[in-house]
Amino acid sequence: MSTSATSPSTPPVYPAAYSGIPERLLHKAVREKSRLWENQSKEFQTPRKRGLAVPAGIGRTEFVKALDELSQSLGKDHVVLNDQPLEDGWYMEHPNTHDAFMIMDEEETVSSACVYPGSVPEVQLVVAWANKHLVPLYPISMGRNLGYGGAAPRVRGSVIVDMGKRMNKILDINPDDCTCLVEPGVSFYALYEEIQKRGYKIWVDTPDLGGGSIIGNTLEHGVGYTPYGDHWGAHSGLEVVLPTGELFRTGMGALPGSDAWQTFPYGFGPVSDGIFSQSNFGIVTKMGMALMPDPGGCETFLYTFQHEDDLLLLVDTVRPLRIANILENVAQIRHATIEIAVSGKRRTEFYDGTGPIPAEVLQGHLEKTPIGRCNWVYYGTQYGPEKIRKYKLDIIHQEFMKIPGAKRIDPQSLPKDHYFWSRAKIAGGQPDFEELSYLNWVPNGGHLGFSPVSPTRGSDVLKLWKIAKERHDQYGIDLFMTFCVGLRELHMINLVVYDRGSPERRKAVEKCMRSMIDDAAKSGYGEYRTHLLFQDQVARTYNWNDNALMKFNEKLKDALDPNGILAPGRCGIWPERYRGRGWEIGKDGRETSEGQGVRPPAGSTRL
Ligand code: ADP
């Protein structure tokens, strides 16, 4: 999107653009882009009020000189200053400059520059440069982590290291072992398309939107919806550049000549992979992943449940079936409000009032849809040949129908454009694009995720649901609640959809988030992932035994990154140079994302 154009341009297409949308999905991307375009009152470009964001601890002239030095070794085109008006773009053309789904003022989470290394030695070169000049780096793979900060850094003025633009090769797909090895710029779309092209009978597990990178999503503990939905659990082997520039490989990758890097994740000795996920301890340059063999068929099913309170019984019904692998995939239990929002229609088509859409109004609209009146919807998928699927589907039916008012919806009764068919694709290992539609719910739609985890237990889920509902009601936000069914736990994913063009709505959303995080922690629930600006608050809810976990993380940070150059503050982990200077944003929030500077360089360990 750009201010000058009178209509939206065609989104980038894969494989011409490594980060593009596959041709088969282009019509959806075009549709979504024009819907968002028409529903945007916020300016497409925001003029800069504060000029170039120079990182704390270095003067402007010194910084610009240092960047010039970097562009001499990396190439002019691969070092780009971020001093132009900010363009929010959208999912397929997201910005590398700031968080397009801003919560605070957009210039709070803005970078100073973006660099594009083209090889591992070039990543090492960038790291050496950052240590020399004490400049904070923020590595991204593709930066499509929208709702959690996108490509934005936690520390204003950090230099974004965009790993994906020039390092986007699929290094290996092994159809016998069902594994792959990828670079940071490989999206779920790209891997899927390549597998199809080669005609391999293997599947990629994919999140709701497939445009993000496999590495970024996995490092963030993202989930997908086939039986391989736990991406971190499916990864095998990392290659990492440490904040001091050394390169190393985890697991079997440490053994020269081993061919088991992607088949045995542990190797020998402590499993070090974990410290590179949701952290700021290294830059991942390669990752291996297990892929699912084509199970020889799959079948998605849909049940609806009438009453809000049915959630308790439903979850308790799901638990034993899921643990016993009768229910086979990471299914979704969704609140019915999302059913109408995912149609891509605007909220005003359903309800004109302020505050959350009233239950009766919602039910009135649902009545006109193929699924009818209900409060919860279960989308699940079974795998294998028909005989095997039928055996398990019968058990599921028997158990689900014990819940009074439960209804199985026959997929054949659903129109071709019903959201069901998108869920069926995703659970069948085919990345899609439908989920973005709910952004059209409000003008200038942005979203944030409130994502606490609980055991698969009705009593827990009711508590979390009550917390989310009360706070959404308090701040006048529609509740978009989904539970992703893990093996023994549920990820409750509340998508808080808001008008990012309205500073008042952004403030309300921030307060709602901070209250929910706090309420959930008081009841013993923690988030599995969160937006940049809530990471301090969430990290500090994991505070058992006098913050023992954070003390351990800080020890690791100081040992691995003595100059504190790598993603300071990511996941609430602050390097020594920043600690005790007011960088953390606690549960009360505040107007600035910055603290009071950093420890001066005199005592630093310049490498
Ligand atoms: P995606 O495009 O897959 O949605 P991102 O590239 O935005 O994901 O990655 C999500 C987050 O994970 C980033 O904000 C960053 O903190 C971290 N991250 C991503 N890629 C890397 C990497 N290669 N090395 C280290 N951290 C990374």
Side-chain angles (χ1 to χ4, degrees):
M1 299 192 197
S2 97
T3 18
S4 48
T6 48
S7 61
S9 55
T10 307
V13 178
Y14 179 85
Y18 79 100
S19 59
I21 190 101
E23 193 74 46
R24 68 183 170 88
L25 292 173
L26 185 59
H27 65 287
K28 290 197 184 189
V30 168
R31 180 196 71 199
E32 233 33 68
K33 187 174 177 179
S34 63
R35 267 182 188 163
L36 294 173
W37 173 281
E38 283 157 19
N39 204 3
Q40 177 152 339
S41 56
K42 186 177 185 291
E43 288 296 322
F44 288 105
Q45 280 190 348
T46 314
R48 302 287 283 251
K49 299 179 293 256
R50 297 165 68 181
L52 179 69
V54 177
I58 183 168
R60 191 184 198 281
T61 315
E62 200 191 337
F63 176 66
V64 173
K65 220 168 112 199
L67 268 186
D68 195 46
E69 177 193 312
L70 184 62
S71 67
Q72 279 167 31
S73 39
L74 212 56
K76 255 184 141 84
D77 292 346
H78 305 137
V79 177
V80 178
L81 201 64
N82 177 16
D83 60 352
Q84 298 300 304
L86 297 172
E87 278 203 39
D88 293 346
W90 70 300
Y91 182 70
M92 289 309 296
E93 289 151 287
H94 64 280
N96 259 354
T97 47
H98 66 296
D99 183 8
F101 289 175
M102 65 287 299
I103 292 296
M104 289 179 153
D105 183 88
E106 47 255 87
E107 288 194 54
E108 283 301 324
T109 44
V110 80
S111 59
S112 54
C114 186
V115 302
Y116 301 96
S119 64
V120 172
E122 286 193 356
V123 177
Q124 291 172 295
L125 187 148
V126 171
V127 164
W129 170 85
N131 275 291
K132 178 175 165 197
H133 297 284
L134 299 177
V135 169
L137 300 177
Y138 194 83
I140 56 164
S141 283
M142 290 176 85
R144 283 198 177 133
N145 201 17
L146 294 182
Y148 294 106
R154 171 62 180 85
V155 166
R156 191 168 183 276
S158 299
V159 170
I160 300 298
V161 185
D162 182 330
M163 299 287 295
K165 187 176 173 196
R166 298 172 66 211
M167 296 172 74
N168 50 47
K169 284 192 286 301
I170 297 168
L171 298 167
D172 186 40
I173 304 174
N174 185 321
D176 302 321
D177 297 338
C178 298
T179 59
C180 66
L181 182 68
V182 294
E183 288 189 329
V186 178
S187 69
F188 291 92
Y189 291 146
L191 184 59
Y192 174 82
E193 295 300 317
E194 185 60 25
I195 290 172
Q196 300 316 302
K197 200 170 109 193
R198 296 192 198 180
Y200 294 154
K201 290 269 178 221
I202 39 182
W203 286 14
V204 180
D205 186 276
T206 167
D208 293 296
L209 292 167
S213 72
I214 298 175
I215 288 186
N217 179 278
T218 303
L219 293 178
E220 273 284 83
H221 302 165
V223 297
Y225 300 98
T226 74
Y228 281 43
D230 169 8
H231 294 167
W232 182 253
H235 99 280
S236 182
L238 299 178
E239 182 184 87
V240 185
V241 171
L242 292 174
T244 40
E246 298 93 330
L247 178 70
F248 95 113
R249 290 183 175 180
T250 67
M252 297 305 291
L255 197 150
S258 166
D259 204 15
W261 196 19
Q262 272 65 72
T263 52
F264 182 59
Y266 308 134
F268 183 74
V271 180
S272 36
D273 296 50
I275 66 166
F276 299 105
S277 75
Q278 290 195 351
S279 76
N280 45 18
F281 299 153
I283 303 182
V284 175
T285 49
K286 292 182 184 64
M287 187 184 76
M289 190 92 171
L291 301 169
M292 180 169 152
D294 184 334
C298 69
E299 186 172 340
T300 296
F301 58 93
L302 169 57
Y303 283 81
T304 60
F305 302 89
Q306 291 306 302
H307 310 106
E308 288 211 312
D309 290 356
D310 291 345
L311 183 63
L312 188 137
L313 200 49
L314 173 59
V315 166
D316 285 335
T317 305
V318 163
R319 183 183 54 250
L321 295 175
R322 181 74 177 107
I323 294 176
N325 203 33
I326 301 292
L327 287 164
E328 289 172 304
N329 78 321
V330 177
Q332 284 201 345
I333 304 171
R334 295 160 76 104
H335 192 273
T337 321
I338 316 181
E339 290 302 305
I340 60 169
V342 87
S343 66
K345 293 185 181 147
R346 299 180 189 184
R347 179 184 204 272
T348 44
E349 290 190 38
F350 301 99
Y351 182 60
D352 241 353
T354 52
I357 185 164
E360 255 328 290
V361 176
L362 171 67
Q363 293 305 327
H365 288 292
L366 284 166
E367 204 158 4
K368 295 178 220 143
T369 71
I371 62 168
R373 292 174 82 95
C374 63
N375 265 291
W376 299 103
V377 180
Y378 189 102
Y379 287 100
T381 302
Q382 297 300 113
Y383 301 86
E386 196 180 348
K387 204 163 83 181
I388 294 177
R389 295 199 309 258
K390 186 172 179 333
Y391 175 75
K392 291 189 177 179
L393 280 165
D394 285 348
I395 300 175
I396 295 163
H397 186 68
Q398 209 180 350
E399 294 304 312
F400 278 13
M401 292 310 284
K402 287 181 186 164
I403 301 170
K407 215 163 72 180
R408 181 178 171 275
I409 307 287
D410 178 5
Q412 297 319 317
S413 71
L414 299 171
K416 286 269 167 300
D417 62 351
H418 193 275
Y419 177 68
F420 173 90
W421 301 110
S422 173
R423 286 248 65 84
K425 268 195 210 164
I426 289 171
Q430 198 184 123
D432 199 22
F433 196 72
E434 200 64 33
E435 190 79 357
L436 206 67
S437 310
Y438 54 69
L439 276 189
N440 214 31
W441 189 242
V442 294
N444 313 307
H447 73 79
L448 263 181
F450 169 62
S451 322
V453 170
S454 82
T456 310
R457 211 178 285 138
S459 54
D460 286 300
V461 163
L462 280 193
K463 281 189 221 159
L464 277 173
W465 172 41
K466 190 163 174 285
I467 288 169
K469 188 162 168 40
E470 279 179 9
R471 293 301 187 178
H472 276 65
D473 285 351
Q474 181 183 352
Y475 292 102
I477 301 166
D478 292 312
L479 187 58
F480 286 179
M481 182 181 282
T482 298
F483 294 94
C484 296
V485 184
L487 197 57
R488 289 177 171 78
E489 48 74 35
L490 295 175
H491 285 42
M492 179 213 220
I493 310 224
N494 288 271
L495 276 179
V496 181
V497 177
Y498 62 97
D499 177 351
R500 70 202 158 83
S502 156
E504 297 75 38
R505 288 318 294 156
R506 298 204 312 245
K507 198 83 220 154
V509 157
E510 180 181 357
K511 284 189 176 155
C512 180
M513 282 286 290
R514 295 207 182 279
S515 314
M516 290 191 295
I517 293 167
D518 194 42
D519 294 345
K522 282 179 183 146
S523 299
Y525 304 106
E527 279 62 46
Y528 93 99
R529 178 182 188 181
T530 197
H531 182 279
L532 275 181
L533 294 173
F534 302 97
Q535 291 179 351
D536 289 321
Q537 188 186 349
V538 168
R540 273 147 191 80
T541 61
Y542 286 78
N543 58 14
W544 180 80
N545 195 17
D546 194 20
N547 289 304
L549 178 62
M550 185 50 78
K551 286 178 187 165
F552 175 73
N553 287 337
E554 287 175 350
K555 258 188 212 161
L556 286 175
K557 182 67 181 165
D558 293 344
L560 294 171
D561 185 7
N563 286 328
I565 53 106
L566 196 65
R570 173 158 155 76
C571 291
I573 305 166
W574 291 96
E576 189 272 331
R577 283 184 80 214
Y578 290 74
R579 284 207 288 276
R581 290 170 185 269
W583 284 85
E584 293 89 351
I585 307 178
K587 70 177 162 67
D588 298 325
R590 56 167 204 234
E591 292 307 311
T592 167
S593 61
E594 294 182 284
Q596 288 85 51
V598 292
R599 178 172 55 69
S604 72
T605 334
R606 290 200 186 225
L607 296 171

